[in-house]
């Protein structure tokens, strides 16, 4: 008797109702009808898209790194810190924390600095003591420019083009009687423009789908496609709650990014695809007709619809990266390879042609992240063991066409590979269903992250270290072209540089183990902002469901200096390159105006000055009087860069949250977040040999699990911060 039959017999005997990898057979609704126009011509053009923005817009920013800072040796003698009493008084600390003397710094949570970095620096500057500028602040400035620029493009330009593209797809398919494609496009149209009137032949089906989207309660069967979709993903979050139009855009683009026209279907009882073979033939031919319509037809403004699709995809790819799902370019090229001529609609709806096109499309499918399509389940064998290859099988099952497929990012692949089924049991017989930001830190080179994972027991899961090494080898293979390919990759590189170990020639506190904890927290706080800004476009990973001395004369200390910048010039140089890359692209695409020009000018001035100060500090040089004035009024410069000298606008807060992974087993998500700013007090030897302390705001980091039916928005997260109900990870280095 075949193993599969034995498994299902045992499951039935014990009363279980589970599925092997795949889903139960779901038939499409009865809107699959014979095509009305079998003689309609289907043709394609070569659809090229830009795949390396770095070669167009990225330029390296030179920097100097010559470590030669004075050191005094740890632990510090509190009597040698010239301004310690003043700093402690401002901080509200009644005594000298032991870790301040032992490690040369503290991260203090007791000073309420809020989540506005400009206001936080104003508070610190009021103490008239040296100001500390953490690398997290420039990283946050980069987030503000990234997020505001993307929001501006989405609302002012992409929205209108997206509506035109979807209306064209809808009308063409109403004409030809393809109610599946018309309903698919109709959902997007109604999400973008709720008052849009749909044909009665599809309005009922669309309304049922919209109801599921508005309820956003979790996995439910799509009324249009017949397989399960995670409708909890349709809660607008990130920057999208900022306006009604952005909320509508979020839902529509989420629909177009997740819903798939499956390529493969069941041909026998042992198959476990999302649809039947007949339905896969129909849906693949439908996808080809959509691509043909985009390639062949001209919009009222004289441009081709394919150019509108290309502009939408290109702009979003510049920010978030490229889809690893097959879309317009792949289906157009596969069609051109499968036939050297135009075909009729009747010909592409045949089983013979489907077999031919599916064979060609094999080489274009390169999906690496399972995004929850179909709510797939990995079942154990008769010995109770799960197959680590089930993840790869899931990627095959869910192959197909997505109009604006969500984007592959390396960090999402990491999260998806560090959990079940790729990672197996631990000694207690438990599975690792939920990843951690620490996995990202470990892959990106943080020794401290791996140490914490070992202490927590994560590395005791079978094949964890094997999967970790695989991802570390992969990141080690990336060249500079990869890191500069998109803004997303560039941001990852900036944050990664924060993790670099500090050796000889760096200040005492920068070489401590405790500082490595802070660097990890700083890195992950910036990473959470990156995921926040790209929450609509980045493909979220899913865990598949598992079945089942005194002096005779009075001592007068010297006056304190203006401040201290975290000496990581390589980070600031890379941030400068990212800002310049963004400006160059906006100029090239015609989206750069006078207001943006002023903001970018101020931001570049801020980053260039911070870089130059850090270069001097690192080499043991004294800064100039002008640079000292810059540090004394850091809040003013930061405010000008953010708000063009006007009122601070929404979107400057550091309290940001993003769900980055979904576990189907617990119906929960991994939320990663930055919160209110903490106060860092750092102690260091100045170039003149005196030891002083500086203070400044630093980013904070949280991660926790949360019900997938209540994916958090920034507003909900800020309420949780006020309620003080979520604890930080135990490994985060702070002083209460």
């Amino acid at each position: 008797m075949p193993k599969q039959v034995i498994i299902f017999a045992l499951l039935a005997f014990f009363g279980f109702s589970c599925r092997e990898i795949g889903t139960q057979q779901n038939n499409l609704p009865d809107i699959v009808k014979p095509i009305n126009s079998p003689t309609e011509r289907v043709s394609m053009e070569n659809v090229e898209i830009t795949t390396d923005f770095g070669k167009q817009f990225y330029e390296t920013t030179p920097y100097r790194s010559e470590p030669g800072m004075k050191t005094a040796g740890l632990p510090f003698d509190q009597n040698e810190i010239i301004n310690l009493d003043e700093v402690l008084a401002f901080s509200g600390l009644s005594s000298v924390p032991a870790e301040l003397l032992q490690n040369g710094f503290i991260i203090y949570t007791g000073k309420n600095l809020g989540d506005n970095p400009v206001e936080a620096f104003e508070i610190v500057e009021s103490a008239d003591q040296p100001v500390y500028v953490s690398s997290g602040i420039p990283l946050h400035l980069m987030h503000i420019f990234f997020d505001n620029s993307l929001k501006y493009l989405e609302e002012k330009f992409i929205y209108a083009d997206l509506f035109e593209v979807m209306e064209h797809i809808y009308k063409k398919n109403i004409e030809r009687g393809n109610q599946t494609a018309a309903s698919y496009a109709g959902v997007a149209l109604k999400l973008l423009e709720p008052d849009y009137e749909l044909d009665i032949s599809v309005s009922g089906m669309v309304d049922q789908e919209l109801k599921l989207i508005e309820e956003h309660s979790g996995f439910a069967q799509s009324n249009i496609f017949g397989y399960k979709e995670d409708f909890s993903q349709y809660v607008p979050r990130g920057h999208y709650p900022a306006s009604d139009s952005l909320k509508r855009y979020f839902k529509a683009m989420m629909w177009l990014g997740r819903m798939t026209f499956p390529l493969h279907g069941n041909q026998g009882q042992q198959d476990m695809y999302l649809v039947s073979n007949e339905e896969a033939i129909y849906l693949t031919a439908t996808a080809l007709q959509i691509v043909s319509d985009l390639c062949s037809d001209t919009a009222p403004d004289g441009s081709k619809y394919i150019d509108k699709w290309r502009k939408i995809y290109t702009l979003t790819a510049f920010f978030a990266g490229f889809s690893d799902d097959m879309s317009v370019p792949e289906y157009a090229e596969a069609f051109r390879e499968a036939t050297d001529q135009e075909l009729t609609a009747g010909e592409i709806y045949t089983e013979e042609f489907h077999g031919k096109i599916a064979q060609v499309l094999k080489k274009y499918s390169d999906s690496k992240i399972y995004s929850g399509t179909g709510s797939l389940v990995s079942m154990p064998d008769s010995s109770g063991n799960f197959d680590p290859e089930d993840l790869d099988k899931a990627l095959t099952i869910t192959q197909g066409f997505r109009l604006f497929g969500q984007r592959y990012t390396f960090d999402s692949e990491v999260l998806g590979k560090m959990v079940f089924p790729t990672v197996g049991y631990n000694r207690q017989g438990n599975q690792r269903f939920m990843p951690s930001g620490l996995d990202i830190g470990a892959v990106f080179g943080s020794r401290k992250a791996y140490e914490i994972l070992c202490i927590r027991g994560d590395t005791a899961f079978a094949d964890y270290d094997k999967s970790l090494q695989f991802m570390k080898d992969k990141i080690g293979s990336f060249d500079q072209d990869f890191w500069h390919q998109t803004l997303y990759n560039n941001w990852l590189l900036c944050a990664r540089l924060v993790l670099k170990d500090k050796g000889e020639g760096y200040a005492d506190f920068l070489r401590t183990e405790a500082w490595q904890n802070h660097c990890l927290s700083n890195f992950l706080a910036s990473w959470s902002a990156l995921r926040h800004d790209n929450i609509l476009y980045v493909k979220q990973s899913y865990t598949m469901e598992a079945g089942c001395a005194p002096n005779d004369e009075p001592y007068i200390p010297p006056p304190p200096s203006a401040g201290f910048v975290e000496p990581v010039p390589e980070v600031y140089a890379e941030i400068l390159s990212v800002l310049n890359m963004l400006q160059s692209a906006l100029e090239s695409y015609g989206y750069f105006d006078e207001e943006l020009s002023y903001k970018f000018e101020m931001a570049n001035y801020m980053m260039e000055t911070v870089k130059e100060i850090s270069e001097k500090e690192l080499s043991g040089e004294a800064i100039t009087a002008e640079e000292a004035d810059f540090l004394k009024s850091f809040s003013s410069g930061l405010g000008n860069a953010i708000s063009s000298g006007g009122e601070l606008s929404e979107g400057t807060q550091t309290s940001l949250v993003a769900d980055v992974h979904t576990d189907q087993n617990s119906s929960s998500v991994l939320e990663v977040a930055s919160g209110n700013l903490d106060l860092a007090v750092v102690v260091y030897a100045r170039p003149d040999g005196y030891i002083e302390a500086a203070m400044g705001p630093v980013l904070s980091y949280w991660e926790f699990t949360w019900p997938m039916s209540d994916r958090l928005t920034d507003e909900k997260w800020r309420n949780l911060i006020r309620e003080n109900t979520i604890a930080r990870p135990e490994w985060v280095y702070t002083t209460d």
Side-chain angles (χ1 to χ4, degrees):
M1 183 179 293
K3 182 187 292 185
Q4 188 184 50
V5 176
I6 295 173
I7 294 171
F8 279 105
L10 288 170
L11 290 169
F13 178 79
F14 286 108
F16 294 123
S17 178
C18 299
R19 293 166 283 144
E20 190 164 343
I21 184 168
T23 66
Q24 69 272 24
Q25 178 68 47
N26 286 329
N27 294 320
L28 287 174
D30 294 330
I31 58 173
V32 178
K33 298 180 178 179
I35 53 176
N36 290 344
S37 306
T39 60
E40 182 182 357
R41 308 304 295 179
V42 179
S43 62
M44 307 288 177
E45 66 177 56
N46 183 27
V47 183
E48 293 185 351
I49 56 173
T50 300
T51 58
D52 193 346
F53 298 102
K55 291 181 179 178
Q56 292 186 68
F57 306 121
Y58 180 86
E59 290 185 11
T60 300
T61 299
Y63 66 91
R64 177 168 58 98
S65 180
E66 302 168 352
M69 304 182 76
K70 282 189 177 294
T71 58
L74 293 172
F76 285 122
D77 181 342
Q78 68 183 72
N79 297 311
E80 294 182 348
I81 305 172
I82 62 174
N83 61 334
L84 182 60
D85 291 343
E86 292 82 358
V87 168
L88 292 178
F90 173 82
S91 303
L93 292 164
S94 58
S95 61
V96 182
E99 56 263 45
L100 177 61
L101 302 178
Q102 185 67 37
N103 296 318
F105 79 100
I106 58 169
I107 306 298
Y108 181 51
T109 63
K111 189 74 177 180
N112 184 15
L113 295 179
D115 65 353
N116 185 310
V118 177
E119 294 176 356
F121 272 104
E122 289 174 346
I123 293 171
V124 172
E125 289 166 4
S126 69
D128 198 25
Q129 291 298 312
V131 172
Y132 170 63
V133 178
S134 162
S135 61
I137 301 304
L139 286 168
H140 184 66
L141 177 63
M142 182 173 66
H143 141 72
I144 292 171
F145 273 75
F146 185 108
D147 203 41
N148 287 345
S149 297
L150 180 56
K151 183 164 57 176
Y152 171 76
L153 291 172
E154 289 168 333
E155 218 165 5
K156 300 297 183 183
F157 302 101
I158 300 176
Y159 190 107
D161 281 338
L162 182 62
F163 181 85
E164 282 193 42
V165 168
M166 297 318 299
E167 185 176 45
H168 180 64
I169 293 172
Y170 165 74
K171 288 182 175 179
K172 289 286 289 192
N173 283 286
I174 284 291
E175 290 174 5
R176 64 170 58 107
N178 189 322
Q179 294 175 17
T180 302
S183 298
Y184 166 75
V187 169
L189 286 175
K190 291 289 285 185
L191 289 171
L192 290 169
E193 299 294 340
D195 294 332
Y196 192 90
E197 292 189 13
L198 297 177
D199 188 87
I200 192 172
S201 64
V202 298
S203 59
M205 186 64 62
V206 170
D207 287 343
Q208 292 180 58
E209 207 78 8
L210 293 173
K211 185 174 184 293
L212 292 172
I213 289 172
E214 292 309 314
E215 290 173 348
H216 49 74
S217 59
F219 281 103
Q221 184 168 305
S222 166
N223 293 283
I224 294 174
F225 288 93
Y227 54 76
K228 285 190 174 183
E229 162 64 346
D230 179 9
F231 288 99
S232 71
Q233 286 282 6
Y234 293 81
V235 179
R237 47 210 196 278
H239 64 245
Y240 297 95
S243 70
D244 287 340
S245 61
L246 283 171
K247 290 176 186 176
R248 297 195 297 267
Y249 173 81
F250 177 95
K251 293 175 185 177
M253 191 59 94
M254 185 66 75
W255 170 260
L256 299 172
R258 290 183 58 83
M259 301 311 293
T260 307
F261 291 72
L263 176 61
H264 308 292
N266 294 331
Q267 293 182 306
Q269 291 185 346
Q270 302 304 311
D271 291 338
M272 286 293 173
Y273 289 104
L274 302 179
V275 296
S276 70
N277 187 57
E278 179 186 14
E279 291 160 347
I281 294 170
Y282 180 84
L283 289 171
T284 301
T286 295
L288 288 167
Q289 282 198 292
I290 289 173
V291 177
S292 178
D293 293 340
L294 294 176
C295 290
S296 305
D297 298 340
T298 302
D301 63 5
S303 64
K304 297 187 70 172
Y305 284 103
I306 191 62
D307 294 326
K308 292 182 180 293
W309 178 91
R310 194 186 342 251
K311 185 169 77 169
I312 296 168
Y313 184 86
T314 299
L315 284 174
T316 54
F318 173 65
F319 282 86
F322 305 94
S323 175
D324 61 345
D325 295 304
M326 294 181 290
S327 188
V328 174
E330 292 79 17
Y331 271 63
E333 187 59 30
F335 180 87
R336 286 154 57 89
E337 286 188 37
T339 178
D340 57 359
Q341 59 186 354
E342 286 187 355
L343 296 179
T344 65
E347 290 172 305
I348 69 167
Y349 279 84
T350 64
E351 185 170 6
E352 179 185 0
F353 180 76
H354 179 265
K356 187 183 297 185
I357 196 77
Q359 187 66 30
V360 177
L361 282 168
K362 276 185 179 180
K363 69 178 183 180
Y364 291 106
S365 182
D366 191 31
S367 185
K368 302 177 183 68
I369 302 166
Y370 170 58
S371 60
T373 301
S375 184
L376 300 185
V377 179
S378 174
M379 288 295 295
D381 60 20
S382 57
S383 300
N385 297 316
F386 292 89
D387 186 355
E389 301 301 320
D390 276 354
L391 179 59
D392 292 331
K393 295 176 186 176
L395 297 175
T396 299
I397 288 170
T398 55
Q399 285 175 355
F401 175 84
R402 294 183 179 183
L403 186 61
F404 291 105
Q406 291 184 302
R407 313 310 164 82
Y408 164 85
T409 62
F410 177 70
D411 51 318
S412 272
E413 184 181 2
V414 171
L415 294 175
K417 290 285 175 64
M418 304 311 297
V419 293
F420 169 89
T422 308
V423 172
Y425 291 104
N426 62 9
R427 290 184 177 179
Q428 291 73 41
N430 299 320
Q431 293 279 12
R432 191 175 197 255
F433 291 131
M434 190 66 77
S436 166
L438 293 168
D439 299 324
I440 303 296
V443 170
F444 275 69
S446 170
R447 292 182 294 102
K448 182 58 65 174
Y450 185 73
E451 289 173 13
I452 298 166
L453 287 163
C454 290
I455 294 169
R456 296 192 341 168
D458 295 75
T459 60
F461 287 92
D463 294 323
Y464 179 91
D465 281 336
K466 179 181 177 182
S467 295
L468 179 66
Q469 190 59 51
F470 176 83
M471 299 312 298
K472 290 179 73 172
D473 290 343
K474 188 166 185 176
I475 197 174
S477 70
F478 295 151
D479 58 16
Q480 289 301 304
D481 288 342
F482 171 83
W483 294 113
H484 304 320
Q485 187 179 41
T486 65
L487 287 181
Y488 192 100
N489 288 5
N490 263 292
W491 189 335
L492 282 177
L493 175 59
C494 291
R496 184 189 186 193
L497 292 172
V498 171
L499 294 172
K500 189 179 75 171
D501 284 347
K502 312 299 187 295
E504 293 294 326
Y506 284 86
D508 299 279
F509 74 90
L510 295 167
R511 292 186 285 160
T512 63
E513 286 295 308
W515 188 254
Q516 289 303 311
N517 277 69
H518 172 63
C519 288
L520 177 59
S521 175
N522 208 16
F523 163 81
L524 290 175
S526 183
W527 171 66
S528 68
L530 172 63
R531 293 300 296 250
H532 167 278
D533 295 353
N534 292 278
I535 198 162
L536 172 58
Y537 301 108
V538 170
K539 184 189 287 190
Q540 188 171 126
S541 53
Y542 277 62
T543 303
M544 293 172 60
E545 184 179 341
C548 306
N551 195 303
D552 291 336
E553 296 185 8
Y555 173 69
I556 302 176
S561 71
F564 183 83
V565 173
E566 185 178 348
V568 283
E570 63 274 18
V571 175
Y572 312 130
E574 197 59 48
I575 293 173
L576 265 170
S577 292
V578 173
L579 290 173
N580 291 330
M581 182 179 180
L582 176 55
Q583 178 176 338
S584 296
L586 292 175
E587 288 174 339
S588 176
Y589 295 132
Y591 301 136
F592 200 73
D593 57 22
E594 187 174 340
E595 180 179 344
L596 282 177
S597 177
Y598 179 80
K599 286 184 177 183
F600 274 84
E601 181 181 346
M602 288 303 302
N604 273 272
Y605 165 72
M606 293 288 292
M607 289 304 97
E608 187 65 48
T609 307
V610 166
K611 180 179 75 74
E612 291 173 356
I613 291 174
S614 70
E615 289 172 336
K616 290 180 179 179
E617 287 176 343
L618 187 56
S619 65
E621 302 172 36
I623 64 174
T624 67
E626 291 78 11
E627 290 166 338
D629 289 340
F630 170 85
L631 289 176
K632 289 178 181 178
S633 58
F634 191 81
S635 63
S636 176
L638 186 61
N640 285 333
I642 292 172
S643 63
S644 301
E647 294 294 323
L648 293 177
S649 60
E650 179 75 17
T652 62
Q653 297 100 319
T654 57
S655 51
L656 308 167
V657 67
D659 48 279
V660 298
H661 181 90
T662 301
D663 173 29
Q664 297 176 190
N665 299 275
S666 61
S667 297
S668 61
V669 298
L670 177 66
E671 299 275 6
V672 298
S674 55
N676 289 340
L677 292 153
D678 292 329
L679 179 68
V681 178
V682 301
V683 180
Y684 52 92
R686 306 190 320 194
D688 59 11
Y690 286 103
I691 300 172
E692 72 176 8
M695 305 176 294
V698 293
L699 300 177
S700 57
Y701 176 70
W702 275 260
E703 69 173 49
F704 50 93
T705 59
W706 200 255
M708 64 183 288
S709 59
D710 185 33
R711 295 175 188 264
L712 292 177
T713 63
D714 291 343
E715 182 180 2
K716 287 184 178 181
W717 169 232
R718 289 164 190 159
N719 287 333
L720 290 173
I721 293 174
R722 285 189 285 269
E723 295 167 4
N724 196 27
T725 57
I726 305 294
R728 296 199 203 187
E730 293 180 357
W731 58 266
V732 172
Y733 175 87
T734 59
T735 299
D736 297 327

